[in-house]
Amino acid sequence: MKKKFNIYCGLLIAAIVFGIGINMFETGYWMYQGGKAGIEHARTEREMGHQHNPTLGFQIISRMTPVEMMPKGEYLMTLNVGDSIVNLKTGEKMPITTMMGMVMPENGSNRMKVLQSVSYLGFAFIILFLVAFIKLVISVNKGRIFEKSTETQLAWGGWSVFAMYVLGWVSTLYNYILNVQEFEFEAYNLSIIQKPDIALLYSAFGMLLFGQIFKIGRKMKEEQELTI
């Protein structure tokens, strides 16, 4: 029984690490591509005799603003809002509808710093969840199931996952509200397309519920021991 429990716990941890690893790899890959493009651009400028601005890359990043939008009714029906993309395999030039992207206004609000700070806080809650989960696995393997420590670890884990979900909405709504204040596009309505994963909410309440079940079990066990 404990063997299966450990296998399932290992699979859960592996899934979490895999998900985090994918996100870190994606972030690292685009940082690498951006740095590579910046170095090549600086080399080209030096060869042409232009003076390179070492802070240009940071200025561009500070101006980057993520937007999510849906075409307005009449544009959605035509599937052509003036943008196009070329399929290099066939040479066909096709209409394209942009739903998510990065804009770089002249007076950027440096919101990326705030969004990055929220993501760092979310990473801290991931670490907190993993610590609580590992402690829970150790307790179960030692036979300490109906104890307060088990309830505590389930509570810490549940509230950590709930905090991740809330932080997801904080960053999403923060970005959307600023977009509404700063932008208005002719062919698009600003929207929220990517939402925090609802599975986080289910997992959070599930862990909190299991914590209460273990608490009830512990009290029933204590009452039986007192009766005996």
Side-chain angles (χ1 to χ4, degrees), residues 3-225:
K3 184 177 180 181
K4 284 188 177 181
F5 175 78
N6 290 330
I7 290 174
Y8 293 148
C9 290
L11 289 173
L12 177 58
I13 293 176
I16 295 172
V17 172
F18 177 76
I20 297 173
I22 289 292
N23 291 334
M24 293 179 66
F25 173 79
E26 184 180 13
T27 302
Y29 173 77
W30 289 114
M31 288 178 65
Y32 167 76
Q33 292 294 333
K36 181 179 177 182
I39 293 173
E40 292 177 352
H41 179 71
R43 184 184 298 114
T44 303
E45 284 189 332
R46 285 197 301 268
E47 291 175 353
M48 297 178 62
H50 297 161
Q51 185 175 2
H52 174 61
N53 183 1
T55 64
L56 179 61
F58 295 102
Q59 293 175 6
I60 293 174
I61 293 175
S62 66
R63 289 168 51 197
M64 291 175 64
T65 303
V67 293
E68 297 179 345
M69 49 198 177
M70 289 293 293
K72 294 181 179 178
E74 61 272 21
Y75 296 100
L76 181 60
M77 295 303 296
T78 60
L79 292 177
N80 186 355
V81 293
D83 298 326
S84 61
I85 193 169
V86 176
N87 182 0
L88 295 178
K89 290 187 175 181
T90 63
E92 179 185 3
K93 187 177 183 180
M94 303 172 292
I96 183 173
T97 299
T98 303
M99 299 179 66
M100 291 182 289
M102 288 281 188
V103 297
M104 288 184 286
E106 288 295 331
N107 298 318
S109 59
N110 288 328
R111 76 173 71 177
M112 289 299 292
K113 293 181 179 179
V114 177
L115 295 176
Q116 288 175 350
S117 299
V118 173
S119 67
Y120 295 149
L121 186 57
F123 183 74
F125 280 113
I126 292 175
I127 298 299
L128 182 61
F129 166 79
L130 289 174
V131 170
F133 185 77
I134 292 172
K135 285 185 176 181
L136 176 64
V137 173
I138 294 174
S139 296
V140 172
N141 277 276
K142 290 184 176 180
R144 300 198 303 264
I145 300 177
F146 295 106
E147 296 185 3
K148 284 187 178 181
S149 60
T150 303
E151 302 160 19
T152 301
Q153 301 310 328
L154 284 168
W156 276 105
W159 287 118
S160 298
V161 176
F162 181 74
M164 295 178 214
Y165 182 77
V166 171
L167 284 176
W169 272 113
V170 167
S171 59
T172 298
L173 293 176
Y174 168 77
N175 189 64
Y176 173 74
I177 291 171
L178 288 184
N179 283 342
V180 171
Q181 293 175 350
E182 297 177 14
F183 306 121
E184 183 177 356
F185 304 118
E186 178 183 1
Y188 293 93
N189 287 320
L190 293 167
S191 179
I192 297 177
I193 298 175
Q194 287 188 331
K195 303 176 181 65
D197 191 353
I198 192 67
L200 290 174
L201 196 60
Y202 298 154
S203 301
F205 290 150
M207 293 188 72
L208 293 173
L209 176 62
F210 276 112
Q212 290 303 306
I213 292 174
F214 276 92
K215 184 176 182 180
I216 294 171
R218 177 177 59 82
K219 288 186 175 181
M220 291 177 63
K221 181 182 176 183
E222 291 174 353
E223 290 174 358
Q224 288 179 351
E225 291 175 350

